[in-house]
Amino acid sequence: MVSVRSFRAVLAFLMGIVISQVIAGLTVIGLATSPALAQEQPAKAAAHVELSVANAPTEVGQTTIFKAAVSGPAGVPTGSVTFKDGVSVLGGAELSAGGRAALETSQLALGEHAITATYAGDGSYAEAVSAELRHTVLKAAAAVRVAAAPGRRAGETTLTASVNGAGRAPTGGVTFKADDGILGSAPVADGLATLTVASLPAGRHEVAATYGGDDRYRESTAPAIIYVVQAPPAAAPRDAHALIVLVLTVIAAGLLVLLRRIAFRWLLRPLGRALRRISRAIGRVVRLGGETSVKQKPVKSFLGLSVGTLAEAFSETDDAIAADFDKATVRIDPQTRLACTWLRPALSYNAEYHRDDADGDFISAKHLFSTVVPLGSNPLNLYDDIHNAFIVNLLGKSDKGCFYVLSEFRRVINSNVLVLAGIFSLIVSLVAVANLTASTLIDFYHGLGLENLPPVTDGMRLLGLSQEDINKGLFGLASCAAGYLLMWMFYHMAYDQAQRHNGREMDNLLVGYLANISIRFNKIHASATQAVVGDADVNEMKRETVLWITDLHWMAFRVFFIEEFLRSILFQIRRNSIYALFLVPAFFIVLMVGAAYVFGVRQFNIFDLESGVYRQNSFYVLFPALLYAYYKYLIDSLNPMSESIEGKWSTFRDLNVVDAMSRIMESYAVQLDQWRSRFKQGPGGGM
């Protein structure tokens, strides 16, 4: 058993231990809160800030990039960096994971700058400041370009310099030089400086411009350009001479075409007739072939092209119609608008058909069925062939009025095509003459204010175009547009209407005339049917039947040959129109080239590569477009007439001769059958 004394000794020992631990803890707390003892703790590590610039030096307005790298012995620093220009804060940036920060700014003014970077510190590093970085901001560069062009007045040169820069528009002035000599200065306004000088002599010059700079932009010189000052035209009187000669030649050509009736009928036709007799005499001598030969001899073909076509020397159809026919009996009312003509014919139609008419037609029909078809041709006459003359002679007097009117339609329609070709050739020739001799008389460049447009000036320099080239191009555009407008107006206001009227009037003529023949055909058919069923004497019935059936065929053949005549007329219209479309422009060209050679007009000398024909920039682009419009109009020149001919008149097929003869024979067979039945019944039988 433990004694009380031993228990007390153990308890005292344990209490002593507890008290000693409490005293030790209080001592530690006191040391920690004591100021004197706190100063003896370890300090934060020092950081090193390295400042650099990515692009130096920079220009005013250009972005500058500053970089700060923070490092230290206690690991990678964190926190932020503040960039300053002296005492002015430029901005701040957070450190990246690698301890780096960057700042971009374009606000630095012109001059020297002291840049620093201040690191704010963190738990391991104290605040740190970089060494001062000296950075220079220079003046900005300006882009300068120079251009030169002829001035408003003769002998003047306008120099233009464009000055452009980033940001605010440059100010100051520009000094212009030519061949190392100073021409003068001009202020910059809205990026342009313009100087007009009159001291540049004719020839080649090297032109440059120097921009003097301002508070933002530094001095800059434009790349030199080569500018050629054109010598004043020494041949101005010669140009006027060329213009007068060519214009008078074109007008003379137009008058010769438009007054073709005088030139062809009064002058060339008698000459053609004389040449015809001479060629026939030569043909007989050298035995080139008689009149009935169907072979085309080379000499005759050549004479036909040179004499018959160009001179309209003779027309077999006109001669055949004029024989025993008074043209005054047919009233034709011509209407004219701007030299284009259309006809309003008036043919009288007689729907009555009497026995006297039948007797006359019988004589004409006997002539038709006894006619020998000629094998001869007339190679000298390409304008009007012998085929139509044969048809006129074949039908005699019966349809000469119709043939006469159709021939007049052919003449008028071809005359309108000739007028169209002449007017168009006149317009196109005048446009060509104006471009060759007067393309620089109008100053479009200054009149339209093109010198005030920088893009135009720059475009001229890049394309190598001078003010003269611009004026030529605009003159060509305006003259070709005016020429096309005149052609369009004449075609639609005069020619198209005249040809459509001709087509409609020709159609109306055929409708009425052939309808009248169709009516007579039906009356003859009825008379022929009556002749075979009548009670007349056998010989009388035979004569009557032959008469009416012959006249029936006569009427049908009239319609057939009128259609054949019309087909030939339409063919001649198309053929002769093609002649006009090629011969009239060729006539203008030959006359102009001949006049240029005779009068020494150098601008139209196609054999001289330095002539005006080859020195027109618009001549090669715009003039072919005008020629294409001219070509399209002439190719389609017969469309208005063709579209107006409906072709709804009575035709040979509509008469149906086979059906008419079948009905006559049917009546005859019925009558014959009745006579047979009567004969079988005997003398006392009835019909």
Side-chain angles (χ1 to χ4, degrees):
M1 179 175 186
V2 181
S3 64
V4 177
R5 185 178 293 177
S6 299
F7 177 75
R8 290 180 177 174
V10 173
L11 181 59
F13 176 74
L14 292 174
M15 291 179 66
I17 293 174
V18 171
I19 293 171
S20 62
Q21 291 297 325
V22 171
I23 294 172
L26 293 174
T27 303
V28 172
I29 294 173
L31 290 175
T33 57
S34 175
L37 294 177
Q39 292 179 357
E40 298 178 359
Q41 289 184 349
K44 292 183 180 181
H48 176 70
V49 181
E50 183 71 25
L51 178 62
S52 63
V53 61
N55 50 339
T58 56
E59 298 176 352
V60 174
Q62 182 181 358
T63 299
T64 306
I65 304 174
F66 295 107
K67 297 181 178 180
V70 184
S71 60
V76 179
T78 60
S80 62
V81 175
T82 301
F83 296 87
K84 297 182 179 180
D85 178 11
V87 296
S88 300
V89 176
L90 298 176
E94 295 291 331
L95 289 176
S96 64
R100 298 181 180 276
L103 175 69
E104 296 183 4
T105 181
S106 59
Q107 303 302 318
L108 294 179
L110 178 68
E112 292 287 334
H113 297 269
I115 309 300
T116 57
T118 301
Y119 170 56
D122 59 6
S124 301
Y125 292 96
E127 179 181 343
V129 180
S130 68
E132 186 178 85
L133 174 68
R134 307 298 295 182
H135 179 72
T136 303
V137 177
L138 305 176
K139 289 185 177 182
V144 184
R145 289 185 296 178
V146 65
R152 289 180 178 272
R153 300 178 181 177
E156 290 185 345
T157 301
T158 299
L159 305 176
T160 303
S162 60
V163 184
N164 300 306
R168 176 175 59 81
T171 59
V174 173
T175 300
F176 295 92
K177 299 179 180 180
D179 304 326
D180 297 330
I182 297 177
L183 299 176
S185 300
V188 178
D190 297 328
L192 289 177
T194 302
L195 178 67
T196 299
V197 296
S199 57
L200 283 179
R204 186 174 180 273
H205 300 278
E206 186 176 283
V207 179
T210 300
Y211 170 58
D214 58 9
D215 59 344
R216 182 181 179 88
Y217 297 97
R218 63 176 178 268
E219 180 180 325
S220 181
T221 300
I225 64 169
I226 301 300
Y227 177 68
V228 178
V229 178
Q230 300 292 339
R238 190 64 174 176
D239 291 341
H241 164 74
L243 178 62
I244 294 173
V245 169
L246 292 177
V247 169
L248 291 179
T249 302
V250 172
I251 294 176
L255 291 176
L256 288 176
V257 172
L258 297 179
L259 299 178
R260 62 202 176 282
R261 297 183 183 274
I262 297 177
F264 288 163
R265 293 189 177 184
W266 292 3
L267 300 178
L268 297 180
R269 176 165 291 187
L271 177 62
R273 292 184 183 274
L275 291 177
R276 178 188 181 186
R277 298 187 183 96
I278 295 173
S279 65
R280 283 185 174 181
I282 295 175
R284 295 189 187 97
V285 173
V286 299
R287 308 183 68 84
L288 293 176
E291 290 298 319
T292 59
S293 175
V294 297
K295 296 181 63 178
Q296 292 286 347
K297 301 298 183 179
V299 174
K300 284 191 173 185
S301 299
F302 173 76
L303 290 176
L305 179 62
S306 60
V307 179
T309 301
L310 298 180
E312 291 185 353
F314 42 87
S315 170
E316 288 86 354
T317 302
D318 287 344
D319 294 340
I321 293 174
D324 197 17
F325 173 72
D326 185 8
K327 297 180 181 180
T329 59
V330 178
R331 185 171 62 87
I332 299 179
D333 184 17
Q335 305 290 327
T336 303
R337 175 181 294 179
L338 295 178
C340 292
T341 305
W342 69 89
L343 302 180
R344 289 179 176 174
L347 278 180
S348 59
Y349 307 127
N350 184 11
E352 298 296 329
Y353 196 78
H354 304 289
R355 180 54 183 267
D356 294 340
D357 299 323
D359 291 336
D361 287 340
F362 184 78
I363 297 174
S364 300
K366 288 178 64 177
H367 171 71
L368 168 70
F369 295 127
S370 62
T371 298
V372 177
V373 177
L375 299 179
S377 61
N378 183 6
L380 285 178
N381 193 347
L382 299 181
Y383 180 80
D384 195 2
D385 57 31
I386 201 171
H387 176 69
N388 282 359
F390 168 71
I391 294 177
V392 173
N393 292 325
L394 187 66
L395 299 185
K397 299 180 181 179
S398 302
D399 301 294
K400 282 192 175 182
C402 179
F403 294 147
Y404 168 64
V405 175
L406 290 177
S407 294
E408 289 301 306
F409 271 119
R410 180 214 64 194
R411 196 184 315 278
V412 168
I413 290 172
N414 282 132
S415 175
N416 289 338
V417 175
L418 194 63
V419 170
L420 180 71
I423 293 295
F424 278 18
S425 298
L426 178 66
I427 293 173
V428 172
S429 299
L430 289 177
V431 171
V433 168
N435 277 273
L436 292 176
T437 59
S439 58
T440 57
L441 291 183
I442 302 177
D443 190 359
F444 291 97
Y445 185 78
H446 291 103
L448 298 177
L450 299 181
E451 74 280 4
N452 298 323
L453 301 177
V456 173
T457 303
D458 296 339
M460 289 174 55
R461 182 180 62 82
L462 294 176
L463 297 177
L465 298 177
S466 64
Q467 177 187 343
E468 181 180 353
D469 295 328
I470 295 294
N471 284 331
K472 285 183 178 180
L474 293 177
F475 184 88
L477 178 62
S479 60
C480 290
Y484 176 78
L485 179 61
L486 290 175
M487 290 193 300
W488 183 90
M489 292 175 61
F490 180 79
Y491 185 89
H492 291 281
M493 295 177 61
Y495 177 82
D496 181 84
Q497 296 184 29
Q499 297 296 61
R500 289 188 186 277
H501 283 311
N502 281 323
R504 283 192 290 267
E505 293 295 335
M506 183 187 295
D507 188 75
N508 294 336
L509 168 74
L510 293 170
V511 169
Y513 195 82
L514 295 178
N516 182 66
I517 295 180
S518 178
I519 293 172
R520 291 192 167 200
F521 178 87
N522 293 329
K523 289 184 177 182
I524 293 174
H525 180 210
S527 299
T529 303
Q530 183 64 32
V532 299
V533 299
D535 293 332
D537 179 70
V538 174
N539 292 328
E540 179 68 17
M541 183 179 66
K542 175 183 175 182
R543 194 180 72 82
E544 289 294 313
T545 302
V546 172
L547 171 68
W548 292 112
I549 290 179
T550 302
D551 287 351
L552 188 74
H553 286 84
W554 162 248
M555 289 295 173
F557 274 109
R558 284 179 63 186
V559 174
F560 176 82
F561 281 110
I562 289 174
E563 287 189 86
E564 178 66 13
F565 189 90
L566 174 64
R567 184 198 66 82
S568 182
I569 285 291
L570 295 178
F571 166 74
Q572 291 171 12
I573 288 173
R574 293 184 177 91
R575 179 194 61 191
N576 299 333
S577 296
I578 293 175
Y579 290 162
L581 301 185
F582 285 96
L583 293 178
V584 172
F587 175 69
F588 272 79
I589 293 174
V590 170
L591 204 60
M592 291 176 65
V593 172
Y597 176 79
V598 172
F599 293 98
V601 179
R602 183 172 179 269
Q603 288 84 345
F604 209 79
N605 186 357
I606 60 177
F607 303 103
D608 185 3
L609 297 180
E610 297 297 325
S611 67
V613 174
Y614 305 105
R615 298 176 64 86
Q616 298 294 320
N617 51 20
S618 63
F619 195 80
Y620 304 106
V621 179
L622 303 171
F623 194 69
L626 182 64
L627 291 180
Y628 177 76
Y630 169 93
Y631 164 80
K632 285 293 295 181
Y633 271 126
L634 294 187
I635 288 298
D636 299 335
S637 60
L638 292 180
N639 288 349
M641 181 209 66
S642 301
E643 293 168 358
S644 300
I645 298 179
E646 299 180 1
K648 294 182 178 179
W649 54 79
S650 300
T651 63
F652 175 75
R653 182 185 62 183
D654 297 332
L655 297 182
N656 200 349
V657 179
V658 174
D659 182 66
M661 293 301 300
S662 298
R663 292 183 180 183
I664 294 173
M665 295 307 298
E666 180 182 358
S667 300
Y668 174 76
V670 171
Q671 181 71 4
L672 180 62
D673 184 63
Q674 291 177 355
W675 278 100
R676 286 176 177 175
S677 299
R678 183 177 180 182
F679 177 77
K680 291 179 180 180
Q681 292 176 4
M687 289 294 291

